[in-house]
Amino acid sequence: MKIPEYARYDYCSQKACEFLEEFNITSFPINVETIILQNGWGLVKYSEIMERFQCSRSKVILCLGSKDGFTTWDNENYTISYNDSSSLGERTRFTLMHEIGHIYLNHLVDFESTQIYRGSLTIEENKVLENEANAFARNVLVPTYMLHRLNNKSISNISYHFGITPTAAQTRLSLFAIDETHNKNKNLFSRLQGIFYRFYYKKRCSICGFYTVSKTIKYCPICGQQTLQWGDGDMIYEKLETNKHKKLIKCPICKNEETNIDGEFCQICRTSLINRCYNVDCEEQLETNSRYCPKCGSESTFFRQGILKAWDYEEPFGDSFMYIPDGIEETLPPPINDDFEEELPFS
């Protein structure tokens, strides 16, 4: 496949949207280094190359042919090298996302010329690929829908909220209308709106750390408190396996697995297999990990039945294999005589 004559900006917009969805981006500025490490891609600083080969930064830039960053592909793994000079500041974030753009847009795989040697590209070919990587980076780091909803669109405010340099913020703003057009042409508006929804309505509980994305939730469904704040949480409480109607596939009390029948109760032990708000004036159907109703704060049926423990429940110390109840010393065997020697079966 040959490098296109012109940058495919509509393709870059689509791939940027796919990237935001795939990596479930809900926080800005984006932690680019974490994404790189999660993918198992190599990440090397210019300073590390300088130390390894005992050379100057200018020498590394000359050899790699880039003052910002460079990506290699060895037919198995990608490795991103980047200039970690402190003078670049927030520019590093854009550089790394730019290099991810080369990876995500398959620049090093799809084109014969890049497979041979990236330095063999013509000026025109290199410009096309660089423009595509730039388009990808700005649409990921500052999605158009996010920028559209930002009240203060000053350069300094865009730079602050999305962690990019003022120069990059200026470019992002100047190309905003063009990228909006590409997004509309590719029918990406509703998908970008969903990404914004995950960002704008994300909530965490300051008590139990529960994390969710919801516009209407008032009470934490795990601890029942009105302690939900905007932001990222650190706990996603495990849900029980259900069918499409949110009915438990297996009864947690009697272990009955024949639950795919009409009704909400286990036909063996009468346990409720659908989690609902216990408040008769509400009776909202809830997620299987909800201890409390997120709308009215009442207990859930699963919590009342003991299917779910309190979020801060700890097993009694007596359940530990190291625990010795009072009086057990009398029943223990006599201590081993240290002078007694016996041939060990594994010696």
Side-chain angles (χ1 to χ4, degrees), residues 76-136:
E76 290 185 6
N77 299 301
Y78 289 102
T79 299
I80 297 175
S81 304
Y82 71 100
N83 193 343
D84 58 328
S85 172
S86 57
S87 63
L88 297 178
E90 293 286 3
R91 184 170 171 174
T92 300
R93 178 175 283 105
F94 191 93
T95 294
L96 293 178
M97 190 56 72
H98 173 99
E99 296 305 319
I100 290 176
H102 285 306
I103 296 174
Y104 212 74
L105 297 171
N106 283 325
H107 284 170
L108 304 184
V109 176
D110 287 348
F111 306 120
E112 293 91 342
S113 50
T114 56
Q115 291 174 9
I116 300 171
Y117 173 53
R118 227 169 116 184
S120 65
L121 299 178
T122 66
I123 295 177
E124 292 75 17
E125 289 175 331
N126 186 67
K127 184 177 180 180
V128 168
L129 298 187
E130 290 298 294
N131 285 342
E132 288 193 352
N134 282 335
F136 174 87

Side-chain angles (χ1 to χ4, degrees), residues 313-326 328:
Y313 175 81
E314 294 183 4
E315 293 290 340
F317 186 66
D319 289 349
S320 170
F321 78 96
M322 290 295 294
Y323 176 68
I324 301 178
D326 293 338
I328 195 68

Side-chain angles (χ1 to χ4, degrees), residues 14-15 40 42 136 166 176 178 204 208 218 289 291 342:
Q14 179 177 332
K15 295 298 287 184
F136 174 87
F176 169 69
I178 295 175
R204 67 176 299 273
C208 67
K218 296 180 180 179
N289 62 357
R291 279 78 169 163
E342 183 180 78

Side-chain angles (χ1 to χ4, degrees), residues 241 243 247-261 266-268 273:
E241 189 176 5
N243 60 22
K247 182 179 180 181
L248 296 184
I249 292 177
K250 181 178 181 179
C251 176
I253 303 301
C254 70
K255 311 307 178 185
N256 167 39
E257 296 183 2
E258 296 180 2
T259 61
N260 192 24
I261 57 176
C266 173
Q267 73 273 28
I268 304 299
L273 300 180

Side-chain angles (χ1 to χ4, degrees), residues 53-326:
F53 294 99
Q54 295 296 299
C55 62
S56 65
R57 190 177 299 272
S58 59
K59 185 70 172 179
V60 175
I61 293 173
L62 179 63
C63 291
L64 294 182
S66 174
K67 63 181 179 181
D68 292 315
F70 190 82
T71 301
T72 56
W73 163 248
D74 62 4
N75 293 322
E76 290 185 6
N77 299 301
Y78 289 102
T79 299
I80 297 175
S81 304
Y82 71 100
N83 193 343
D84 58 328
S85 172
S86 57
S87 63
L88 297 178
E90 293 286 3
R91 184 170 171 174
T92 300
R93 178 175 283 105
F94 191 93
T95 294
L96 293 178
M97 190 56 72
H98 173 99
E99 296 305 319
I100 290 176
H102 285 306
I103 296 174
Y104 212 74
L105 297 171
N106 283 325
H107 284 170
L108 304 184
V109 176
D110 287 348
F111 306 120
E112 293 91 342
S113 50
T114 56
Q115 291 174 9
I116 300 171
Y117 173 53
R118 227 169 116 184
S120 65
L121 299 178
T122 66
I123 295 177
E124 292 75 17
E125 289 175 331
N126 186 67
K127 184 177 180 180
V128 168
L129 298 187
E130 290 298 294
N131 285 342
E132 288 193 352
N134 282 335
F136 174 87
R138 67 173 179 263
N139 279 287
V140 170
L141 294 176
V142 191
T144 56
Y145 197 89
M146 299 290 293
L147 185 55
H148 178 77
R149 296 297 296 265
L150 189 66
N151 291 327
N152 180 3
K153 293 182 177 59
S154 67
I155 300 303
S156 59
N157 200 44
I158 295 173
S159 175
Y160 170 75
H161 280 290
F162 298 100
I164 57 178
T165 64
T167 301
Q170 176 66 65
T171 302
R172 165 73 284 186
L173 193 59
S174 64
L175 295 173
F176 169 69
I178 295 175
D179 287 334
E180 275 275 78
T181 300
H182 291 305
N183 289 330
K184 290 177 181 178
N185 290 340
K186 299 297 288 186
N187 297 317
L188 301 176
F189 187 80
S190 61
R191 292 167 64 180
L192 291 170
Q193 189 177 32
I195 294 166
F196 173 80
Y197 184 94
R198 293 201 307 268
F199 167 80
Y200 194 76
Y201 293 111
K202 62 182 179 180
K203 293 182 174 69
R204 67 176 299 273
C205 176
S206 60
I207 301 297
C208 67
F210 170 73
Y211 173 77
T212 189
V213 176
S214 175
K215 184 178 180 179
T216 60
I217 187 173
K218 296 180 180 179
Y219 296 85
C220 174
I222 303 301
C223 67
Q225 303 298 311
Q226 283 186 297
T227 49
L228 295 172
Q229 306 171 344
W230 181 88
D232 298 302
D234 53 10
M235 289 295 293
I236 299 177
Y237 291 83
E238 185 178 356
K239 296 179 182 179
L240 302 175
E241 189 176 5
T242 64
N243 60 22
K244 62 182 180 180
H245 303 296
K246 293 186 178 181
K247 182 179 180 181
L248 296 184
I249 292 177
K250 181 178 181 179
C251 176
I253 303 301
C254 70
K255 311 307 178 185
N256 167 39
E257 296 183 2
E258 296 180 2
T259 61
N260 192 24
I261 57 176
D262 291 338
E264 297 188 6
F265 298 88
C266 173
Q267 73 273 28
I268 304 299
C269 66
R270 203 173 62 179
T271 297
S272 176
L273 300 180
I274 291 182
N275 198 21
R276 291 190 180 277
C277 174
Y278 201 73
N279 181 354
V280 293
D281 295 325
C282 180
E283 294 188 337
E284 182 79 13
Q285 186 169 347
L286 310 176
E287 296 292 342
T288 60
N289 62 357
S290 296
R291 279 78 169 163
Y292 299 89
C293 176
K295 292 190 174 181
C296 72
S298 300
E299 292 182 344
S300 70
T301 53
F302 280 12
F303 190 46
R304 296 275 296 204
Q305 292 177 133
I307 295 174
L308 297 175
K309 304 285 187 183
W311 71 273
D312 56 351
Y313 175 81
E314 294 183 4
E315 293 290 340
F317 186 66
D319 289 349
S320 170
F321 78 96
M322 290 295 294
Y323 176 68
I324 301 178
D326 293 338

